[in-house]
Each structure stands twice: as structure tokens, then as C-alpha cells.
């Protein structure tokens, strides 16, 4: 007699619950992919100038006409005005009020004319830029003014009055330094919020501040002794790196109380998707659309990048405003931690109250199912009828 074989599918384990669990957790990386795509392509895919401030150097009608002509042809891409002298233009470049200055006649701007054997030399136009402020912006400005110089039949001379460090020829090393400090900061949030979740919020905040101290030191070492992208002012750089990192760590530590497993996504949205794209490290806000350009005015990454540029290359012009930006983000971090502490304290009180109520309910249930035994004299005293019956029984027993 042959035995009946069961179908194979009856022996296979059911993985549907496990599959749902995995698919649920895949939502986070997919949202990161969508967010990174929208942020990076939205910010960097089609850079073009928007009211980029430049200047034409000259006091005569020729300078006025050229500036107006460039303005008209740019259709809002440029904001061209005239300045009276090359020295004034250089001062505006170093204050980052303009990002290029076209000197129509370098002979006149330097206070005289040069002569050749055949007479006065032809005017040699010059473009003055400050590539430490943004190499990409300086390149765009050069592309704008090169054809204008070509119309005069002479090559355009380009002068860089604020070049970046020798080991950072593109000037983007500060941006990538910010990327390293950012990753060290928001990755530490996951550790402090996850592994440190059993600690009180006060201790987690102290860990965040201490971690930011170390991250700032590492960033300063990378920028100075290791890669030489900053050759002076390292104490100031460390101070800004610490402020920047501490703000991220405190905000992330506080948010973990509310976001839990979504903390990584939330911190990446704040300090990668919106932060890296608006920092001005690759393209300045004048080369981006209105959304990211507006974020540049107050986001912490822009505060760090522009503050470091100002400190290292532009003699501290505008530095105070960028430092205040970092300080305000640090204050926000302490505020978020404070709100998280109140929320956790309220949760603890609610849990303690629920535990006390559960204990009381359990005690009441036990009391209801186990009747209380009372002493005989208490029972007799509490019930007169029972007492009299007991007395009669006693009399009968002794024959009275």
C-alpha cells in the first residue's frame, strides 16, 4: 500500500509577515532616494545666474552705456552697475557685494596711459574676480565678459584679487569639509539616540556636545595639517565647526524623542538634502533658483561655508552675521532638547500613573475573589442574632 504524500507547500514556512516587515523598512531608503534626487537635481541640475551683481569700472558715458546694454541683454540674469575706480571695485569684491568687475581701460583706471612707438597703446580691458568666494561664479562672469572684450579686438586679462589656498585651487575644499563634519555629526545622532536611548536626556545632550567638540577637532585637522585647504585661522575654523556640529547633534538628539526610527530620514532632510544644496559651496545662491537661494540666507551649512570663507579669505567681512547664524541653530538645538526633556518627563509620569492604576486594579481583583476572614468574636459582635443562637447552643450542650 502506497503512502499518501502531502503537497510540498504544506511544509514551506510562511514568510508573508517577514516580507511585510522588510518592505515597511524599505520605505525609509526609498524616501531618501526621492529626497536626494529632488534636492540635488533641483539645486544643481540647471545653474544659471539670477540678478548676479557685477560692475563696470568707469566714470564716463561709455561705462554707463555698456552697463545698461549688458543689463538689457541679460534679461534679469545680471545686476550691472558702474563704479568709479578699480580700487572701489576691488573693495566691493572683497566685501562680496559684487562678483566681477570689468575695467574698460586699465590705463586710465591706473592713473595714466602708456605709449608705444606708434602712439598710445590700445585700451586693455581687465576682469577682476575673487575666486575664493566662488570659483563657479567667477567662471560664469568670465564667460559673460570675454565676448565683450573680444569686440574690442584685445584679449581679456583676468585678475584674481582673492585666490583660494594653493592646495585648494577650486575653492570648494571648505564645502567638502562641511560635508565631512555634517556626516560625522548626523551619524552620531543615530548612535546617541539608539544605543544611548536608555540614558536620561540630560546625559544624551552632554554626549552630543562632547561629540561635536571631537568632530570640530577632526574637521580642523583635515582642513589644516592634513590637506592644507586652510593655511591660517585654524582656531576660528574650529570654533565654527564646533558650533555647526553641536547644532546638528543637539537638534537630532532632541528629534529622536519624537521621530524614533524616522530620525535618520528627518536629520538627512534637514542637514543633507536642504543643507548641502543651499550652502553655496558648489553654486552661490545667485546661481540657483529662488527656493535654495532663500535657504542660503539662514541655513546652518551656509553659515559655516560663508563664515569660513569670510574668516580665511575676506578679512572677516560679514563674519559676525554668519557666526550668529550658527549660534541661532545651536540655540534651536538646546530648545529642541528642552522640549524633548519635557515630553519624556510627561511620558514617565503617564507610565508611572498607568502602572499604579494597574496595581490598584489587580489588588482590587484579588480582594474580590478571596473573601476576608474575620475573628469569631468580631463576627459575633457584628451580628446579634448569630450571637444569641450560639449562646442557646451552648446552654443545650451543658444541659442548662
Amino acid at each position: 500500500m502506497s503512502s499518501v504524500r502531502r503537497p510540498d507547500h504544506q511544509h514551506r514556512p510562511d514568510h508573508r509577515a517577514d516580507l511585510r516587515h522588510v518592505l515597511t523598512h524599505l520605505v525609509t531608503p526609498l524616501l531618501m532616494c526621492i529626497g536626494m534626487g529632488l534636492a540635488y537635481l533641483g539645486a544643481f541640475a540647471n545653474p544659471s545666474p539670477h540678478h548676479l551683481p557685477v560692475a563696470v569700472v568707469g566714470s564716463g558715458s561709455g561705462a554707463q552705456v555698456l552697463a545698461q546694454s549688458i543689463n538689457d541683454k541679460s534679461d534679469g540674469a545680471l545686476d550691472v552697475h558702474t563704479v568709479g575706480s578699480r580700487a572701489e571695485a576691488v573693495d566691493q569684491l572683497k566685501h562680496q557685494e559684487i562678483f566681477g568687475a570689468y575695467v574698460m581701460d586699465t590705463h586710465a583706471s591706473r592713473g595714466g596711459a602708456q605709449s608705444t612707438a606708434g602712439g598710445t597703446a590700445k585700451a586693455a580691458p581687465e576682469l577682476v574676480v575673487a575666486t575664493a568666494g566662488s570659483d563657479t561664479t567667477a567662471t560664469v562672469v568670465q564667460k559673460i565678459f570675454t565676448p565683450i572684450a573680444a569686440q574690442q579686438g584685445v584679449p581679456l586679462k583676468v585678475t584674481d584679487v582673492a585666490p583660494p589656498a594653493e592646495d585648494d585651487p577650486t575653492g570648494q575644499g571648505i564645502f567638502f569639509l562641511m560635508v565631512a563634519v555634517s556626516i560625522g555629526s548626523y551619524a552620531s545622532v543615530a548612535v546617541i539616540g539608539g544605543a544611548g536611548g536608555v540614558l536620561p536626556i540630560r546625559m544624551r545632550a552632554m554626549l552630543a556636545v562632547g561629540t561635536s567638540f571631537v568632530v570640530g577637532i577632526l574637521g580642523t585637522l583635515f582642513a589644516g595639517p592634513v590637506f592644507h585647504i586652510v593655511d591660517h585661522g585654524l582656531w576660528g575654523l574650529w570654533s565654527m565647526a564646533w558650533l555647526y556640529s553641536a547644532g546638528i547633534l543637539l537638534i537630532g538628539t532632541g528629534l529622536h524623542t519624537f521621530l524614533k526610527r524616522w530620525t535618520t530620514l528627518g536629520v538627512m532632510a534637514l542637514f543633507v538634502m536642504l543643507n548641502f544644496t543651499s550652502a553655496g559651496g558648489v553654486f552661490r545662491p545667485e546661481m540657483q533658483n529662488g527656493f535654495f537661494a532663500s535657504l542660503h540666507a539662514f541655513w546652518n551649512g551656509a553659515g559655516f561655508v560663508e563664515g569660513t570663507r569670510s574668516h580665511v579669505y575676506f578679512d572677516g567681512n560679514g563674519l559676525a552675521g554668519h557666526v550668529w547664524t550658527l549660534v541661532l541653530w545651536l540655540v534651536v538645538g538646546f530648545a529642541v532638547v528642552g522640549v524633548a526633556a519635557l515630553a519624556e518627563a510627561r511620558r514617565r509620569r503617564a507610565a508611572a500613573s498607568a502602572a499604579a492604576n494597574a496595581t490598584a486594579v489587580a489588588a482590587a481583583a484579588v480582594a474580590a475573589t478571596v473573601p476576608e476572614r474575620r475573628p469569631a468574636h468580631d463576627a459575633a459582635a457584628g451580628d446579634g442574632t448569630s450571637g444569641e443562637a450560639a449562646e442557646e447552643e451552648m446552654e443545650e450542650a451543658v444541659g442548662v
Side-chain angles (χ1 to χ4, degrees):
M1 183 175 63
S2 61
S3 60
V4 178
R5 297 183 62 185
R6 295 182 179 180
D8 291 342
H9 66 82
Q10 295 184 5
H11 299 282
R12 296 174 183 170
D14 188 354
H15 291 297
R16 286 177 292 182
D18 297 330
L19 182 60
R20 283 196 298 270
H21 179 74
V22 174
L23 291 176
T24 301
H25 282 76
L26 278 174
V27 172
T28 299
L30 292 176
L31 287 176
M32 289 180 182
C33 177
I34 293 172
M36 293 290 282
L38 291 174
Y40 272 70
L41 295 177
F44 299 146
N46 184 28
S48 58
H50 301 280
H51 300 286
L52 179 66
V54 295
V56 173
V57 178
S59 56
S61 60
Q64 295 284 350
V65 170
L66 178 60
Q68 187 61 49
S69 174
I70 297 173
N71 255 332
D72 294 341
K73 292 179 180 178
S74 71
D75 194 24
L78 303 176
D79 184 7
V80 189
H81 66 275
T82 60
V83 295
S85 67
R86 185 180 184 277
E88 183 181 352
V90 170
D91 183 67
Q92 292 187 14
L93 280 166
K94 291 187 174 181
H95 282 79
Q96 294 188 288
E97 298 172 4
I98 60 174
F99 295 94
Y102 183 73
V103 185
M104 296 179 61
D105 187 349
T106 56
H107 299 158
S109 67
R110 294 179 186 273
Q114 294 180 353
S115 298
T116 64
T120 303
K122 193 170 184 178
E126 177 189 20
L127 178 64
V128 187
V129 295
T131 56
S134 174
D135 181 71
T136 53
T137 303
T139 300
V140 169
V141 172
Q142 186 173 346
K143 288 182 178 179
I144 292 170
F145 285 102
T146 296
I148 297 174
Q151 294 176 0
Q152 300 180 25
V154 292
L156 179 65
K157 175 186 176 182
V158 180
T159 303
D160 191 352
V161 296
E166 183 178 352
D167 290 327
D168 183 25
T170 65
Q172 295 183 7
I174 292 173
F175 170 73
F176 292 110
L177 170 65
M178 183 209 68
V179 172
V181 173
S182 301
I183 292 175
S185 301
Y186 76 73
S188 299
V189 167
V191 176
I192 294 173
V198 295
L199 299 174
I201 186 70
R202 180 183 67 259
M203 294 186 66
R204 279 178 276 152
M206 293 173 63
L207 280 173
V209 174
T211 302
S212 66
F213 184 91
V214 177
V215 170
I217 291 176
L218 292 174
T220 304
L221 291 175
F222 287 140
V226 179
F227 294 106
H228 308 288
I229 61 176
V230 174
D231 53 13
H232 64 280
L234 293 181
W235 279 111
L237 172 64
W238 173 81
S239 300
M240 285 184 282
W242 175 78
L243 284 171
Y244 174 72
S245 176
I248 294 176
L249 273 155
L250 287 171
I251 290 173
T253 299
L255 288 179
H256 189 272
T257 299
F258 307 100
L259 300 182
K260 301 300 182 184
R261 73 182 185 90
W262 298 102
T263 301
T264 300
L265 179 61
V267 173
M268 283 193 67
L270 287 173
F271 303 117
V272 176
M273 299 175 191
L274 299 178
N275 189 28
F276 293 178
T277 51
S278 64
V282 178
F283 298 110
R284 284 193 54 82
E286 295 84 3
M287 298 292 296
Q288 295 183 294
N289 60 48
F291 175 73
F292 293 100
S294 63
L295 291 182
H296 183 84
F298 62 91
W299 219 256
N300 60 340
F304 177 76
V305 170
E306 299 295 354
T308 304
R309 283 173 174 168
S310 174
H311 173 61
V312 176
Y313 297 123
F314 295 100
D315 301 323
N317 291 316
L319 177 60
H322 302 309
V323 171
W324 273 113
T325 297
L326 298 175
V327 170
L328 289 175
W329 278 84
L330 181 63
V331 171
V332 170
F334 280 114
V336 174
V337 168
V339 173
L342 294 175
E344 291 186 8
R346 185 167 59 249
R347 291 175 187 174
R348 287 194 298 270
R349 289 194 298 269
S353 177
N357 291 337
T359 301
V361 170
V366 171
T369 55
V370 181
E372 182 180 358
R373 298 182 64 183
R374 295 182 295 172
H377 65 84
D378 289 344
D383 190 346
T385 304
S386 299
E388 292 173 359
E391 184 177 354
E392 291 176 358
E393 289 176 0
M394 181 66 71
E395 291 173 352
E396 292 176 357
V398 296
V400 177

